[in-house]
Amino acid sequence: MNKHFFSALLLVASFTAKAQQNVNYFYNQDVKFDTSIPTPKNVLGFEVGEWHVSHDKLVEYMKALAKTSNRVSLEIAGYTYEHRPILLLTITNPENHTNIENIKKEHLAIKTSTDDIANKPVVVWLGHSIHGNEASGSNASLLVAYYLAAAQGEAIEKMLTNTIILLDPSYNPDGLNRFASWVNSHKSKNLDPSSLSLEHNEAWPRARTNHYWFDLNRDWLPVQHPESQARVANFYKWQPNILTDQHEMSSNSTYFFQPGIPSRNNPLTPEKAFDLTRKIARYHAKAMDAIGSQYYSEESFDDYYPGKGSTFPDLNGSVGILFEQGSARGHLMGTENGSLSFKFAIRNQVTTSLSTLEAAQELRGELLTYQNEFFAKAKELASNDVIKGYVFAGKGDLNKTNSFLQVLARHKIEVEKLTDNYKPFSKDESYIVKLNQEQYRLTKAIFDKRTSFKDSLFYDVSAWTLPLAFGMQYQEVSAKELVKIKSESIGIIKREEKIAFEASEYGYLLSWTDYMAPAALNKIQKAGLRTKLTTHAFQLNGNKYAKGTIFIPVQNQSLSKDKIVEVMKFISSTYLVPVKGINSGDADGVKLGSPSFYNLKSPKIAVVGGDGVSSYEVGEVWHLLDYRMNIPMSLIAIDQLNSVDLSKFNTIIMVSGNYSKLKVDRISEFVKTGGLIIATKSAGKWLSKNEITTVTYVNNKIDSTQQRPYELMDRYKGAQVIGGAIFETKADLSNPLFYGYAATSIPVFRNSTIMMERNKNAYANPLMYTGSPLISGYISSINIKKLANTAAVQIDKAGRGTVITFTDNPNFRAFWYGTNRMFLNAIFFGREVRIK
Ligand SMILES: [Zn+2]
């Protein structure tokens, strides 16, 4: 016991009695507590709700519970980008704790066995505040954890005997902390309910997201971030029967719990999951009635995209439940329904956490049986499905293939490696996922393409087909084809740690086919080495080299031969990219001294961020360059960009945003003097409007002169939204922007109605939407007609500079590996591209 902890215990004794009176507000009953367990106030120094809990204090309290209560154990499941611990508490009675590994094993066995199911404990995962600025969940978790650790009496004893509670106090520690810091530092002693106050209006980029500004409640399926990786790993270790996901919504709203809108459920989720959700909802309704709180269900929010915390569990034999509390934002908020205090918001969240546990008790047998049936049914579903599996390959891209296999491994999806060629898939780099496995439903969710829907409104994206996003070559396999494919089980794939490397006195060739090639090129350039891009394919020593291969000569560099060996060895072993040492420039096709090799410039990148710019899209660029590729860049706000010396940069990246304050002359001058601008989505519109580019946009206003039924107004408007779908484009692979791509057909993600007309210059449209471009997801019949055959990427030249305009976002949510490449190509090769 450390000194600090000892003094905490002394505090416990003196403050417990009073603190307990205050906490009873949150439980709507006089609970008798074990006085040896510290209340939240004992550790935090304030009542829950008086201040927003910072993440470190939240951790401190949970650690104190784990130390003092034999009902509670705590593990650190991982760390966030900002190195905050990701906690998971296991709460159950002390006997269960001594036998916890066995209980876990028996619980997992429910997937395949019906033995004594009804007597087994039910597993409930209580999760909080994945959106950092929806903090009532995490603050409620203090009180829920205290109650479970310290409450006395028969009811709680019984519940803890029959239940394993997994409590994750903060799904998004970095966001929660950012928010607590903001609202606490703007709080007045006399609480200000004005919605206009600084306390209630966070500064950019706000705290909904994690460190790189990703919405973690979209990452349960792609699992690209450390928070989701830790969480999803624990999910599969336990396979909970219920998982809760506590959020906040607009301040004028009351309280929502699922079920959501019935017509917008994911079709892969069994109907029984919604029946159970509805049954559980009755317990919430009763508990909320008892404290006089208002609530609703089934009228908003959907259960469609499995990247969300309430839908992902539904495809895993669990019941995911979304809760949305009207937000107090800071500590007190004036609303249409009167003043809404943070404490009140917290009390509602505590109430539904406890009603969830009550429901789990009473529905225990049904939940466990449902879980068994869910997995038992997989075989039958697979045998009724005309699709029997999916074969896929990464085409010379080891890193991308590994990342894709890693996603499947994280979801416990079994993969087999081909042992024989299956045209056009070569056995060396191809895999098959068969549908006849436990994870039938989730596998379908990952690989499925869907173009017909019950409803035309979506809360989030309507398509996410991961092999398309990763740009994998892939094919559905029928029963007839399946028998032709020879494969063997490989279990969970490990990254290959070594790749052949040979030192050279003459030069090195870096292949551009691998996803990490830009990271390698950047490292070589930053080491001060001259790099050359080949625009012609050639053969050397029997090896074929495609356009886009990077040549690094040894002669006349600023580093010695030995130092160059060190750099090349480093990039080969760190990034696992193919680098070949060569001893001659006498290639077939073109010689290595050919004028078709361009000297490449090392990018010096400014990414425009700050107020008015989409923090999501900036964050996606930041994560790609900084985190994945180790490419240095500066995040710069518009105000600064208007005044800094732009000659420090040769590349400016602009994503969706409002650029009305950006000085046109400076940007125009930057391009004319040789700068490169890469613009995505609405940033392209600003450049076009200010005549920095020649891009013209499709007029996509709908005919508003017709009379339409008032009651269908929202529905009609919603149906014209492209919330997120996948489309086919056709690339000119001879254009440097598409070096490294293996096929002309490239799936792209689109979540806006911004469409570019084709450029009059035939070389300025290197990527176009096809004539019938929808691959997966929802788009209205009006919009698909407009989108067909439009340009997806355009190139403009002005003075000595270049602008590359993307109509879409190639870096969506960190899992669009397939289109990351064209964005990175634009950074490294964009300035070399000619249009006449
Ligand atoms: Zn939320």
Side-chain angles (χ1 to χ4, degrees), residues 377-388 435-436 440 444 479:
K377 198 112 200 274
K379 258 204 170 80
E380 186 189 325
L381 290 168
S383 87
N384 292 341
D385 201 322
V386 289
I387 299 169
K388 297 299 172 196
L435 274 176
N436 186 14
Y440 168 86
K444 287 288 278 192

Side-chain angles (χ1 to χ4, degrees), residues 233-495:
N234 265 327
F235 179 93
Y236 286 114
K237 268 184 209 158
W238 269 109
Q239 297 279 161
N241 298 94
I242 296 177
L243 182 143
T244 66
D245 184 21
Q246 291 190 327
H247 290 249
E248 290 181 4
M249 55 183 166
S250 80
S251 302
N252 290 326
S253 323
T254 58
Y255 194 90
F256 169 89
F257 44 80
Q258 273 180 334
I261 296 172
S263 62
R264 296 202 230 159
N265 290 333
N266 190 300
L268 289 165
T269 303
E271 206 42 47
K272 178 83 183 164
F274 303 114
D275 291 347
L276 281 163
T277 309
R278 216 165 282 122
K279 280 189 181 174
I280 296 167
R282 284 196 212 123
Y283 291 82
H284 309 318
K286 203 176 110 202
M288 294 290 271
D289 282 344
I291 58 170
S293 281
Q294 273 94 64
Y295 52 86
Y296 74 101
S297 300
E298 309 214 17
E299 285 178 80
S300 43
F301 302 102
D302 67 12
D303 224 345
Y304 195 79
Y305 170 50
K308 291 195 305 162
S310 54
T311 309
F312 168 80
D314 296 345
L315 295 172
N316 273 295
S318 176
V319 178
I321 307 177
L322 171 73
F323 298 91
E324 297 271 354
Q325 161 68 44
S327 183
R329 283 286 155 235
H331 298 84
L332 186 69
M333 179 68 107
T335 79
E336 288 173 2
N337 305 312
S339 286
L340 167 58
S341 74
F342 188 43
K343 273 192 175 180
F344 176 78
I346 293 169
R347 181 166 73 153
N348 286 340
Q349 303 279 34
V350 171
T351 301
T352 57
S353 293
L354 299 182
S355 59
T356 299
L357 291 172
E358 192 192 341
Q361 293 318 291
E362 298 192 11
L363 302 171
R364 179 157 66 115
E366 216 173 319
L367 286 161
L368 294 168
T369 307
Y370 166 67
Q371 189 167 39
N372 170 265
E373 285 167 0
F374 179 94
F375 291 104
K377 198 112 200 274
K379 258 204 170 80
E380 186 189 325
L381 290 168
S383 87
N384 292 341
D385 201 322
V386 289
I387 299 169
K388 297 299 172 196
Y390 308 90
V391 57
F392 61 90
K395 287 296 230 176
D397 191 338
L398 176 70
N399 278 296
K400 190 175 80 175
T401 307
N402 277 342
S403 298
F404 186 66
L405 290 169
Q406 221 168 24
V407 174
L408 301 178
R410 284 181 180 132
H411 290 300
K412 308 293 171 204
I413 291 170
E414 288 168 29
V415 182
E416 298 186 7
K417 191 164 195 310
L418 263 54
T419 52
D420 225 334
N421 294 337
Y422 169 73
K423 258 192 162 172
F425 294 88
S426 97
K427 68 178 165 76
D428 297 332
E429 54 177 11
S430 304
Y431 302 85
I432 180 167
V433 167
K434 293 178 181 167
L435 274 176
N436 186 14
Q437 59 173 299
E438 242 172 39
Q439 285 294 63
Y440 168 86
R441 283 192 178 83
L442 203 73
T443 307
K444 287 288 278 192
I446 285 175
F447 283 86
D448 232 11
K449 288 181 278 199
R450 193 176 288 271
T451 50
S452 66
F453 301 91
K454 256 201 213 167
D455 200 317
S456 53
L457 305 185
F458 298 86
Y459 182 76
D460 194 68
V461 297
S462 63
W464 50 85
T465 319
L466 291 188
L468 294 174
F470 276 73
M472 306 299 281
Q473 178 189 21
Y474 101 109
Q475 200 175 295
E476 293 169 350
V477 177
S478 66
K480 214 175 105 202
E481 291 301 302
L482 187 69
V483 292
K484 296 182 194 161
I485 298 175
K486 305 278 172 281
S487 59
E488 64 184 9
S489 182
I490 44 166
I492 290 171
I493 311 275
K494 286 203 180 101
R495 279 172 69 98

Side-chain angles (χ1 to χ4, degrees), residues 130-131 134 208 217 247-248 324:
I130 199 162
H131 296 140
E134 301 174 6
R208 175 183 174 90
N217 199 34
H247 290 249
E248 290 181 4
E324 297 271 354

